[in-house]
Amino acid sequence: MRTGRPADAAGLVRLAGQVEHWFGPMVDDPGFHAAVARQLARGSALVATDGPVVLGGLLVGHHPPVCHLHWLVVDAAARGLGLGRALVAEALSRCPAEVRTVEVVTFGADHPGAVASGARAFYEHLGFSPAEAAAPGPEGGSRQVYRRAL
């Protein structure tokens, strides 16, 4: 687990290809590439690696009093090993002292990815609670804010 570096961009884009069916097009989206590059340049991305291979990543935004978990992805072959939990725990440990709340936007209850990915149950297990609805994702699927107090 470490802070992401610009050289990790290709690994994060590779992982994006595994979840595009839930989130909408990313691999061929220049805007996604630019967002990943910005996060890596700012030092606001975390990665889990096995040697040179990126197995997971989390893009984070600190806007005290709120920390936003923007995008979490774990390689399909490494899911269930605790990398997602470890990435979130590391992100929370790095929150500035003035952060009081952590938010993430994930699938709405009726989104196919909600069950298939287990994202809602994952965040609830980590102490997040469902909050208000969020704007639909780029693929048109429903989204919901999950929130946790620190």
Side-chain angles (χ1 to χ4, degrees):
M1 194 80 42
R2 62 173 170 75
T3 301
R5 299 174 221 162
D8 296 320
L12 291 172
V13 170
R14 177 186 66 79
L15 294 177
Q18 295 181 8
V19 296
E20 280 187 312
H21 58 288
W22 291 328
F23 293 102
M26 294 180 282
V27 172
D28 294 327
D29 179 0
F32 176 75
H33 286 257
V36 168
R38 278 192 308 275
Q39 294 280 131
L40 290 167
R42 286 185 199 139
S44 56
L46 298 172
V47 294
T49 62
D50 181 11
V53 179
V54 175
L55 295 177
L58 176 59
L59 306 181
V60 182
H62 297 121
H63 305 285
V66 180
C67 172
H68 298 275
L69 305 182
H70 292 299
W71 184 66
L72 172 65
V73 64
V74 174
D75 190 292
R79 291 185 193 140
L81 301 177
L83 294 179
R85 285 187 304 275
L87 285 162
V88 171
E90 183 65 22
L92 297 182
S93 77
R94 294 180 182 208
C95 286
E98 54 275 3
V99 167
R100 300 287 178 247
T101 306
V102 181
E103 293 182 351
V104 62
V105 175
T106 192
F107 303 117
D110 63 341
H111 191 290
V115 174
S117 74
R120 292 170 64 91
F122 170 80
Y123 289 114
E124 288 171 11
H125 179 73
L126 294 178
F128 288 79
S129 298
E132 66 273 6
E139 84 300 351
S142 66
R143 296 287 192 270
Q144 184 169 12
V145 174
Y146 268 59
R147 192 170 285 124
R148 175 182 160 178
L150 285 184

